[in-house]
Amino acid sequence: MLAKLFSPKAIIDENTKNWILDTFAWAIENFDINVLKDDTRLILPTNEFYPGTVTSVEEMAQAMFINTKNYAGMQKWPIELTSATPTSATAIEDLSLGEIIRGEHAEVDVSMSNAPLMLGFTPNQVNQPQDLIAGISQALASILVVSNKVLPPGGKEYLPQAIDLVACFMGFGVIFANTAYQFRGGCGSCNNASLNRKAALTEPETLYALALFCVLKKEPMKNVKGHLKSHLKKDFVRAYKSIEQSLSSTTQPALLALVS
């Protein structure tokens, strides 16, 4: 009773919490646990993760894309970014996947042609870097999830939510939490709503997925809070502490493989 009395206040309902835990376990089982363990980092919107000097909007977008693709563990995937209308006829279904699908040793090829998958962006997106990075990582997560033969918990109906969660699983949870909701008011010059990504997970759900990633990767709360929007910090701490308690009694094998 005392444990329940002093438990952190939940930021999401029990069913949603269980879906996030189950879907994170599904991601661990399907998207290379060793990459998650050894290579995946918490990606922050800083010069450490997105460094360098560029001379054009196109060059900046390409630099963001290459870094994001590498952080996602999809550096071997035949995917490119273009500001022009994508003309490639290559589809996700044309990809041929080996046993290892992420990281330096990934086995990914285009079975029908040598043409890469093309992702489009508009130059104005560079003015909102976190939204552009979130959009790229969301597109990469979509390709990864759709190419997988095993559907996430909830099936096809939950594919959009699973894609957002997989982006958090790949390390982009801070950027996803910061871009999950965009204020529509104000002067209009501070934010261009047309450039915002379309979020399938709510802010609290994204924060819970971020906190789960951090607890499993043993990432201290102090390393995260300073990079979140101010109104997100309190709920992140609640989620983090709640997950620490939940994982102490989990029976989910995929999660236990990281907790131990």
Side-chain angles (χ1 to χ4, degrees):
M1 181 177 290
L2 287 176
K4 290 184 178 180
L5 182 63
F6 294 106
S7 294
K9 183 180 177 182
I11 67 168
I12 56 176
D13 64 76
E14 193 71 13
N15 288 337
T16 303
K17 182 190 83 170
N18 289 335
W19 180 86
I20 290 175
L21 291 172
D22 289 345
T23 306
F24 211 96
W26 165 84
I28 292 170
E29 292 166 349
N30 286 277
F31 304 131
D32 298 300
I33 187 173
N34 289 330
V35 174
L36 177 63
K37 280 183 173 181
D38 302 332
D39 302 326
T40 303
R41 303 166 65 192
L42 179 68
I43 309 306
L44 301 173
T46 66
N47 287 334
E48 176 189 352
F49 290 91
Y50 291 92
T53 302
V54 296
T55 58
S56 69
V57 167
E58 180 77 27
E59 191 177 337
M60 182 179 291
Q62 291 296 338
M64 288 182 178
F65 171 70
I66 291 169
N67 283 332
T68 302
K69 190 178 173 185
N70 288 341
Y71 296 144
M74 297 176 70
Q75 59 268 54
K76 297 293 185 181
W77 286 60
I79 307 169
E80 295 182 8
L81 186 74
T82 179
S83 58
T85 302
T87 57
S88 172
T90 302
I92 296 174
E93 292 75 18
D94 297 328
L95 293 173
S96 176
L97 307 182
E99 290 187 9
I100 301 173
I101 61 173
R102 290 204 305 142
E104 285 291 341
H105 303 292
E107 302 163 345
V108 184
D109 202 357
V110 180
S111 58
M112 301 301 292
S113 69
N114 292 322
L117 277 75
M118 301 301 296
L119 303 181
F121 81 100
T122 58
N124 285 342
Q125 287 180 291
V126 175
N127 295 325
Q128 294 175 201
Q130 286 202 71
D131 286 283
L132 177 56
I133 294 166
I136 292 170
S137 55
Q138 191 176 46
L140 294 175
S142 176
I143 293 169
L144 187 66
V145 169
V146 173
S147 66
N148 187 49
K149 294 180 180 178
V150 182
L151 289 171
K156 289 184 178 180
E157 183 181 348
Y158 283 83
L159 278 176
Q161 293 87 342
I163 287 166
D164 277 13
L165 183 139
V166 167
C168 296
F169 164 84
M170 295 192 298
F172 299 99
V174 168
I175 294 171
F176 257 59
N178 285 336
T179 60
Y181 170 78
Q182 300 287 354
F183 178 58
R184 301 295 190 245
C187 62
S189 62
C190 305
N191 178 73
N192 186 338
S194 67
L195 305 181
N196 299 338
R197 74 176 180 89
K198 292 179 173 60
L201 293 180
T202 65
E203 270 187 348
E205 292 163 355
T206 306
L207 283 172
Y208 197 89
L210 165 62
L212 177 57
F213 172 92
C214 291
V215 172
L216 290 172
K217 290 286 292 180
K218 300 177 175 59
E219 188 79 45
M221 283 188 287
K222 64 180 181 180
N223 293 353
V224 182
K225 289 170 59 181
H227 299 282
L228 289 172
K229 289 180 177 178
S230 57
H231 72 281
L232 300 176
K233 296 178 182 181
K234 188 174 182 180
D235 278 349
F236 170 74
V237 171
R238 287 176 176 170
Y240 193 103
K241 292 180 178 179
S242 172
I243 289 166
E244 283 186 314
Q245 290 188 358
S246 296
L247 292 185
S248 65
S249 59
T250 185
T251 58
Q252 180 65 258
L255 298 178
L256 284 172
L258 292 170
V259 172
S260 57

